[in-house]
Amino acid sequence: MLRRFLCTCNSGGASTVTVTASAKKKNVVFLGSPQVSASVLDKLILASQASHSIFELAAVVTQPPSVRDRGRKNLMPSPVAQLALDKGFPQQLIFTPHRAGEENFLSNLKGVNPDLCITAAYGNILPQRFLDIPPCGTVNIHPSLLPLYRGAAPVQRALQDGVTETGVSLAYTIRALDAGPVIAYEKFQVDDSIKAPELLSILFDLGSGLLIRELPFILDGSAKVKALPQDDSNATLAPK
């Protein structure tokens, strides 16, 4: 059984993502790779296509194609790349660098003039040169209640530890691992019957909801002012 608790760390409250006809839409770049990331991208595309949306999806960044099934030799796109293609997103705007610090990739990223970058299980370290590009920053959906379980396997480690409460955080990305200021979070109480894949999917689904609700504040800069710094003394790590 899951019980949900929502906290937004700004005083603006929930808001619909709307814009006046004369305003210019903001450019958003999404970074993610596995299926849980694809579910976030799906909701982001839907929100961007809504009437009066304040943003448009300028590019998608994901891991390079790989062999995902034994016995197959053909390279397969990541779930995020496949969803973007299925939705008709331009292939030339789907970037697949091996590392986020590659010069060609950073040049391509600058070329789409991103106002904001959003990450959800992207799987690549972002260098400072990347973080310096979007003026509204880079925001990450992380499936834990930060500063708890910073790292690559927060859901698995939380369940391994037998926690009765976990959640998802929306936080700014800085060079330190999952240590940026928290914009919003949502808590859960979990029982011992839930498995990691199910919980991971649920948390990213809820994280995408947090993202859509907070986008107006992130894009107008007010979220950065009101985001709460993490208490590093309470941090725990969640390595693979």
Side-chain angles (χ1 to χ4, degrees):
M1 181 178 181
L2 299 176
R3 289 200 297 170
R4 298 167 50 182
F5 304 84
L6 172 66
C7 173
T8 56
C9 299
N10 59 54
S11 60
S15 174
T16 56
V17 182
T18 58
V19 66
T20 62
S22 60
K24 182 182 181 298
K25 290 186 177 183
K26 300 286 189 178
N27 287 331
V28 169
V29 171
F30 178 79
L31 299 91
S33 297
Q35 188 58 48
V36 289
S37 305
S39 68
V40 177
L41 176 59
D42 194 23
K43 294 178 178 63
L44 198 62
I45 290 173
L46 186 62
S48 73
Q49 293 172 341
S51 61
H52 310 302
S53 171
I54 61 173
F55 75 97
E56 59 187 5
L57 195 62
V60 170
V61 184
T62 188
Q63 294 282 11
S66 63
V67 177
R68 295 207 301 271
D69 296 321
R70 289 183 179 179
R72 291 189 177 183
K73 296 181 179 179
N74 293 333
L75 294 178
M76 303 290 290
S78 74
V80 161
Q82 188 62 60
L83 179 96
L85 291 170
D86 291 345
K87 294 290 184 178
F89 196 76
Q91 187 168 3
Q92 67 270 23
L93 294 176
I94 302 174
F95 304 142
T96 58
H98 288 278
R99 294 181 303 277
E102 293 175 9
E103 293 295 340
N104 187 56
F105 165 63
L106 292 175
S107 177
N108 287 334
L109 182 65
K110 291 177 183 178
V112 300
N113 297 313
D115 294 291
L116 172 70
C117 290
I118 296 165
T119 61
Y122 171 45
N124 227 330
I125 296 174
L126 302 178
Q128 190 61 49
R129 289 185 301 161
F130 176 101
L131 298 176
D132 289 340
I133 292 173
C136 294
T138 295
V139 170
N140 181 49
I141 297 174
H142 186 77
S144 81
L145 296 175
L146 292 171
L148 300 178
Y149 298 106
R150 296 174 177 175
V155 168
Q156 294 88 340
R157 293 296 182 182
L159 292 180
Q160 186 180 58
D161 290 346
V163 300
T164 57
E165 183 178 77
T166 185
V168 61
S169 302
L170 187 66
Y172 284 104
T173 299
I174 62 174
R175 284 292 293 148
L177 179 65
D178 296 324
V182 175
I183 301 164
Y185 63 85
E186 193 161 349
K187 290 183 179 181
F188 293 92
Q189 289 183 346
V190 302
D191 61 30
D192 57 7
S193 66
I194 195 165
K195 304 302 181 185
E198 179 187 0
L199 183 55
L200 192 66
S201 177
I202 290 170
L203 292 178
F204 273 101
D205 182 61
L206 292 167
S208 64
L210 283 180
L211 172 67
I212 299 302
R213 288 194 290 271
E214 294 298 318
L215 264 178
F217 311 116
I218 296 169
L219 290 172
D220 72 12
S222 61
K224 187 168 289 188
V225 175
K226 298 177 182 179
L228 299 178
Q230 295 185 40
D231 184 351
D232 291 340
S233 67
N234 291 327
T236 60
L237 298 180
K240 288 183 179 180

